[in-house]
Each structure stands twice: as structure tokens, then as C-alpha cells.
Amino acid sequence: MDDLDQLEAQSIYILREAYRKLKPLAMLWSLGKDSNVMLWLARKAFLGRVPFPVMHVDTGKKFPEMYRFRDEYVKKWELELLLGDCPPVEEIDPTLPPAARSAARKTAGLAAMIEKYKLEGVIAGIRRDEQATRAKERVFSPRGSSHKWDVRNQPPEFWDQYATPHEEGVHIRVHPLLSWREIDIWRYIEREGIPLVDLYFAKDGKRYRSLGDQDITSPIESEAATVAEVIAELQTTRTSERAGRAMDHESEDAFERLRVAGYL
């Protein structure tokens, strides 16, 4: 087994453990590269059919290409899609910086969907290398009845044994990609031929390295127009993956405040 085989096997094991232990269970689908890899792994884990619904918490501000991709692959992969809306920004904590406040709409939208469908488990495609706050996460991460993350009180995870507390109102965030790096994601996309939104590939000298809402996400300068060229670019770049995300350039604690409150 090479390193990608090992990452794949670990993620499939995590997905199967989540399906065995947590019901009802759903997977967040943001339509980005990480959640598409995660969905691909789920299809592999369950012999080509995803046995739980996928959720899109829709801000209404995604790129048109992302909505077209979603509608196409819901049909192609025969997915059960749960759609949820987000509240207006005026209802969100006004003490947050502007971009973080806009992003926090998804926190409220996700909380509403978890309560509506009474979910015990939510699978999310975060990675430790993306952002310092996410490096503190567990694979199976409990959230209390208020959906908040207690970063200082997380269960130990020894020998791939994952705690799944079943207290009233608690749900578990499951992170099967936590050990993957950005370049691992792209190498796996290349190996498996995983489809992506074409915004990840350069046009007129720019591409998106990370996809979010149109008003708080910017492209980077790049000539990488194929998966192989993206991989080559990542081997030399010193720029952060989330350099195009506006909220990552706001106050130092903004992202951790979002995560603690239940952000994806």
C-alpha cells in the first residue's frame, strides 16, 4: 500500500464506523474538492451507493458553476439531497468581522438542519492542515445541545477507537479527511478521476484554490489548468490554501470563534 491507499483505507474505516454507530447520519456536501473526495470515498465504502443523505447548507451565494455541478451529480450518483437555507446576515452576531459574519450564516443554517432531521452524526470534510483551529479537532468530535465545540474537553482517540457519546441533544461531527493534506487530495483526485467544479482550474491567469461564497472568496494568480499542473504548483507554493478566503484575513480569533460556535 502506498500513502494514498493508507489514507483511503483509514477514511473508509471512519465512514463505516460512523454509519455503524450513528443514526440518523448525514454528510455535508459543500461542492468543493474536499467534500467531493469525501463523497467519492463514501461511494467506495458502501459499494457504489451512499446509504445516508448529503446535506447542502445553501447561503444562496455560491458560484453558478457550483449549483450546476450539484444538480448534475445528485442525478449521476443517485444521491438523497437535503437542502437547507441560511438566515439573513442581519440575524448573525454583529460583533463578528464582516466576512466571518457572512460565513457564520452557515453555522445557523446547519444547526437548524441538525435539529430538523434529529441527526446524531454529521460527516464533514475538514482537514488539519487547512487552518490552525482545525488542527485541534478530533475524528469523532462531540457537539453539545447548543452545537458548540468545547475545544478543551475532547475525547481521546487511541488506536483508532472513537467515542460516540449518546447524551440527549449531543451530536457527533465526523471528520474522515482530518489526516489528509491539500496535495494528498489533489493526488487522489488525479488517481481516481474525481470530477470537480472547473473553477479550480486556471482561466486568464487565475483560479480558485478554495471555494466558498462569491462575495467572500477570491481567486489566486495561477496558470494551473489541469490536475497535474495544480499538483506541480502545490509542490512549490508558499501561499496558504485559504489565502483567497476573506475571513482568514480578519481578526486573529474570528475563525476559532466560528468553530467554537459550530461552524463547519
Side-chain angles (χ1 to χ4, degrees):
M1 293 176 71
D2 65 16
D3 59 327
L4 288 182
D5 292 328
Q6 291 171 2
L7 286 168
E8 178 188 71
Q10 179 188 45
S11 296
I12 286 174
Y13 169 70
I14 291 165
L15 288 165
R16 288 173 174 167
E17 281 291 282
Y19 183 64
R20 182 173 71 87
K21 293 182 175 182
L22 301 169
K23 288 185 175 61
L25 176 69
M27 174 180 283
L28 284 166
W29 190 27
S30 71
L31 313 173
K33 64 185 186 303
D34 299 314
S35 64
N36 286 339
V37 164
M38 185 170 65
L39 192 48
W40 187 270
L41 288 163
R43 294 174 72 233
K44 275 198 163 188
F46 300 103
L47 306 179
R49 177 186 167 274
V50 180
F52 39 74
V54 297
M55 297 196 305
H56 183 203
V57 185
D58 189 11
T59 61
K61 294 185 176 184
K62 299 297 183 188
F63 293 89
E65 293 90 339
M66 298 174 76
Y67 290 115
R68 287 197 293 270
F69 184 93
R70 180 193 71 188
D71 295 344
E72 178 182 356
Y73 281 92
V74 161
K75 294 176 182 176
K76 280 189 176 180
W77 290 344
E78 299 180 342
L79 303 173
E80 179 187 352
L81 176 65
L82 306 179
L83 286 175
D85 296 323
C86 300
V89 72
E90 291 78 16
E91 295 181 14
I92 304 302
D93 181 0
T95 69
L96 286 168
R101 189 181 184 197
S102 179
R105 295 174 60 224
K106 288 196 293 186
T107 304
L110 175 59
M113 291 189 77
I114 289 170
E115 291 171 8
K116 177 179 180 179
Y117 296 105
K118 296 180 171 51
L119 297 175
E120 274 196 3
V122 176
I123 305 169
I126 69 165
R127 306 189 327 268
R128 285 195 179 106
D129 75 322
E130 273 184 288
Q131 208 275 344
T133 299
R134 285 175 169 165
K136 303 173 185 177
E137 270 287 10
R138 295 289 191 267
V139 176
F140 278 56
S141 180
R143 298 295 197 272
S145 56
S146 63
H147 304 279
K148 290 188 175 181
W149 176 41
D150 186 352
V151 66
R152 293 179 178 82
N153 183 26
Q154 299 182 81
E157 293 183 334
F158 301 125
W159 307 291
D160 292 334
Q161 300 298 306
Y162 304 119
T164 52
H166 284 78
E167 291 91 346
E168 184 70 27
V170 170
H171 76 277
I172 307 295
R173 302 279 177 93
V174 181
H175 305 130
L177 302 182
L178 209 55
S179 296
W180 294 58
R181 302 169 300 160
E182 182 185 12
I183 198 166
D184 298 328
I185 293 290
W186 280 103
R187 289 172 57 228
Y188 191 71
I189 288 167
E190 181 180 50
R191 188 182 87 173
E192 300 288 311
I194 299 172
L196 294 177
V197 177
D198 62 9
L199 293 169
Y200 282 111
F201 304 107
K203 294 177 184 175
D204 302 320
K206 293 186 178 292
R207 75 176 185 89
Y208 286 87
R209 192 167 163 191
S210 178
L211 287 178
D213 288 354
Q214 292 185 65
D215 59 339
I216 56 174
T217 310
S218 302
I220 62 166
E221 293 185 2
S222 173
E223 298 296 335
T226 66
V227 174
E229 289 173 353
V230 169
I231 293 169
E233 180 181 84
L234 293 178
Q235 289 171 336
T236 60
T237 187
R238 293 182 176 273
T239 305
S240 164
E241 178 181 0
R242 293 179 59 90
R245 295 292 191 113
M247 67 179 175
D248 286 48
H249 301 282
E250 293 179 328
S251 65
E252 187 176 342
D253 69 337
F255 196 89
E256 181 145 348
R257 287 173 64 189
L258 288 180
R259 292 287 298 162
V260 168
Y263 187 70
L264 316 184

